[in-house]
Amino acid sequence: MRIAVAGATGNIGALTTAALERDGHDVVRISRSLGVDLVTGEGLDAALAGVDAVVDAVNGPAGSREEAVGYFAAATRNLLAAEERAGVRHHVLLSIVGVHRVEGNAHYAAKREQERLVEAGQVPWTIVPATQFHDFAEMVAGWTEQDGVSTIAPLLIQPIAPADVAEVLAEVAVGEPQGRHADVAGPETQDLVDMARRTHQARGREVKLVPVWSGLFGTEMAGDVLLPGKDARITPTTFEEWLGQQR
């Protein structure tokens, strides 16, 4: 199949591209750095010529709720319109588990709008909600780190290996549209603070972690809000196994 990957130079996009190419598919990489701009639509029609399916693994810039929603809405509208013109038969969107249970987070609001547009569009679709990735804790701690101290929310999550997410997306892309896919998660629940501590240790870093409910992650994300549903698809790679690959 000829499959386009939007966000192909990002972490998940690059891994999904590699998984698809390994299985013999012709992959079209869509990224602003490669001359295709989702927000303006520049280069999209040429990129999608002859494409059977599109995987949207785009990540947006940080910003206000209005900025995040505006970015994802513009990119998704342009992508869906170009897919319709090109006769694309399957749109696969990577989303987030719990996105409809959290109101205050700008990124979650943007992903909800993205889902809404996909569901209302004319291109047959599959939405794949995944839990946070194994590198999420280190990333979040890095946002606030100053002088060896970082504040971080004690979120309860069931993290997933980025490579496992890519395998699921590649598998879904070559199949028939499913509508809303089951939640996709890793095998074990984890505490975000402990994940950050263990990741720093694996990298030989000393960072003091201060658990707080503030900033991007408030108490509305506490408890089981971010955990997958009971019928979730569980992928194999544990956080400990992923950590072993980072050393």
Side-chain angles (χ1 to χ4, degrees), residues 29-43:
R29 293 168 173 80
I30 292 178
S31 171
R32 184 183 302 170
S33 64
L34 300 175
V36 184
D37 192 322
L38 292 178
V39 175
T40 66
E42 180 183 358

Side-chain angles (χ1 to χ4, degrees), residues 180-203:
R180 194 164 190 88
H181 190 281
D183 291 347
V184 180
E188 302 169 336
T189 55
Q190 301 282 347
D191 171 74
L192 196 69
V193 180
D194 183 59
M195 288 175 64
R197 177 185 59 78
R198 290 159 65 192
T199 306
H200 288 147
Q201 285 179 344
R203 300 199 191 285

Side-chain angles (χ1 to χ4, degrees), residues 221-244:
M221 301 176 86
D224 62 0
V225 171
L226 302 182
L227 298 183
K230 63 179 180 179
D231 297 322
R233 175 171 176 176
I234 304 302
T235 56
T237 308
T238 67
F239 179 62
E240 193 64 39
E241 288 169 337
W242 177 83
L243 266 186

